[in-house]
Amino acid sequence: MRALTWQGTRDVQVVDVPDPRIQEPTDAVIKVTSTAICGSDLHLYEPLGPFLAQGDVLGHETMGVVEEVGAEVTHIKPGDRVVIPFNISCGHCWMCRRGYTAQCETTQVTSQDKGAALFGYTELYGSVPGGQAEYLRVPQAHFGPIKVPDGVPDERFLYLSDILPTAWQGVEWAEVSEGDTLAVFGLGPVGLLATRIARHRGIRVIGVDNVPERLSAAQAYGVEVLSTDEVDDIPSAIKEMTDGRGADGTLDAVGMEAHGTPVLGAAVKGAGLLPDAIAKPLIKKAGVDRLAALYDSIKSVRRGGTVSVSGVYGGQSDPMPMMEMFDRGIALRMGQCHVRRWVDDIIPILTDDADVFGVETLATHRLPLEDAPHGYDIFQKKEDGCIKVVLKP
């Protein structure tokens, strides 16, 4: 089959790879009909490159049609239309029973001291082949795949694989209610969906970014926006908009590659270019992130408020303003999304004919799988108005 593979720093290529097959009775194989490029895929371009091997198949936002199932997979069958959560979870361990499927004890990558295995996301998370391909083997398919109805476009359900539940969890973790104010840092796909979820709940939303297309997309859903290119002190501006108090909750939807910290940016890129034998222990023990968005999220929340982090971070030695956080009584919640935990809450909204969250129009670029390298390039560079790329194998 054809698949998008990592070949080196800023080098991804579509090549021929072996077809997937059933290996365990809990496996399934699906024919991929849509697969998206996620913002966290872009971290594989540079900072997380040392944890990839040449030829690794990327991608973790995938849906398609079931081709084959193992003997222990009974809730789906060949011909069913399914969305595949990005985290691989068993559904029955201690963590899964409590809704923490991103920490599944059956698939935890204990050799790396990491949580549940993920599709297409480095040796840190199991080196499981991803879904930017014509076919995908799905481990733990007795639990993971989400069956969805026929008759509507893929993009109505595709984002259940990752970014929509991630945005939902981000809003939940921010602990905001109707009438409260939520400030969302980063208006990429997760940030935009978070603003729409919050607005749907009657929450006032302030969105922060510097890309005009993203700011406009947020404004279309009633979001008040601040551009980092026009406002020097974002936390002060948010306090002015909230009677000097700050937002009730903030959501960092940016993560490790935030703009605004050029020295750290050079360090992150430099680590990604070192030989793997040097880079891996350096990143694991002394890695740092670009923290501009997280710092602003902390400074923008009111006393006693909650900072929710959906953006991916990978540093082990990040400095944090602990005195300020302690004095102001700030709560901090974060982590990989527990996709299956939120699906039952989200699907009834997705099946509304109104397309409440605008998922069918979120993608700005729809490309054949063969053009995936171009999709990565324009997404990383934020060129051609690119907000979200969906690939069609």
Side-chain angles (χ1 to χ4, degrees), residues 18-359:
D19 292 341
R21 58 181 179 82
I22 299 291
Q23 299 177 26
E24 302 289 342
T26 52
D27 285 352
V29 173
I30 71 163
K31 179 178 175 60
V32 177
T33 56
S34 291
T35 180
I37 302 175
C38 181
S40 57
D41 286 329
L42 300 182
H43 302 323
L44 308 182
Y45 246 39
E46 288 176 329
L48 295 181
F51 298 99
L52 288 158
Q54 190 174 30
D56 280 354
V57 180
L58 305 184
H60 59 267
E61 296 184 5
T62 310
M63 70 176 294
V65 176
V66 178
E67 287 274 306
E68 185 181 2
V69 298
E72 295 180 18
V73 178
T74 59
H75 80 292
I76 57 172
K77 63 184 185 304
D80 284 346
R81 190 184 192 200
V82 293
V83 175
I84 309 302
F86 76 99
N87 36 40
I88 302 169
S89 312
C90 74
H92 57 73
C93 69
W94 191 94
M95 284 289 183
C96 285
R97 291 199 309 272
R98 288 157 177 79
Y100 298 109
T101 55
Q103 304 298 339
C104 173
E105 292 179 325
T106 300
T107 72
Q108 276 180 17
V109 187
T110 54
S111 63
Q112 300 285 344
D113 197 24
K114 294 292 183 287
L118 308 179
F119 286 102
Y121 216 77
T122 79
E123 67 185 50
L124 294 173
Y125 290 96
S127 295
V128 182
Q132 289 168 2
E134 292 180 310
Y135 293 88
L136 175 68
R137 170 182 168 254
V138 183
Q140 305 296 323
H142 63 284
F143 173 71
I146 303 160
K147 188 176 177 180
V148 297
D150 295 321
V152 294
D154 274 12
E155 286 167 46
R156 179 62 69 98
F157 297 107
L158 173 61
Y159 306 129
L160 276 174
S161 58
D162 178 357
I163 59 172
L164 185 53
T166 294
W168 187 280
Q169 178 174 291
V171 176
E172 289 281 343
W173 272 196
E175 299 183 334
V176 285
S177 304
E178 183 176 359
D180 285 347
T181 298
L182 173 68
V184 177
F185 290 80
L187 298 175
V190 169
L192 285 174
L193 288 172
T195 67
R196 296 171 188 181
I197 291 164
R199 292 293 298 143
H200 180 65
R201 298 183 182 186
I203 296 164
R204 179 192 181 192
V205 181
I206 301 169
V208 181
D209 206 294
N210 67 340
V211 180
E213 292 85 358
R214 294 180 175 187
L215 295 167
S216 296
Q219 285 179 305
Y221 280 77
V223 176
E224 302 166 61
V225 300
L226 295 171
S227 171
T228 56
D229 286 346
E230 299 175 2
V231 179
D232 292 330
D233 190 340
I234 294 294
S236 292
I238 289 174
K239 288 178 181 177
E240 288 179 11
M241 299 168 72
T242 54
D243 299 321
R245 187 175 297 116
D248 297 290
T250 59
L251 199 168
D252 173 1
V254 180
M256 68 171 74
E257 295 186 85
H259 295 286
T261 45
V263 175
L264 285 178
V268 169
K269 288 186 177 182
L273 295 172
L274 291 171
D276 290 356
I278 299 173
K280 286 180 183 181
L282 179 64
I283 293 170
K284 283 184 176 182
K285 295 180 180 180
V288 292
D289 297 299
R290 286 181 272 182
L291 298 171
L294 181 57
Y295 286 163
D296 278 355
S297 298
I298 291 168
K299 292 181 179 296
S300 298
V301 76
R302 64 165 169 78
R303 290 178 177 271
T306 301
V307 177
S308 175
V309 183
S310 294
V312 175
Y313 283 95
Q316 281 286 75
S317 301
D318 292 329
M320 295 293 288
M322 291 303 298
M323 182 172 68
E324 178 182 359
M325 294 168 67
F326 183 86
D327 173 68
R328 295 174 57 214
I330 293 170
L332 189 63
R333 295 202 71 175
M334 66 185 79
Q336 299 283 6
C337 177
H338 310 292
V339 173
R340 289 299 301 267
R341 178 174 182 154
W342 313 112
V343 165
D344 290 344
D345 295 322
I346 297 171
I347 282 184
I349 304 173
L350 286 182
T351 54
D352 188 308
D353 290 341
D355 189 12
V356 173
F357 299 144
V359 290

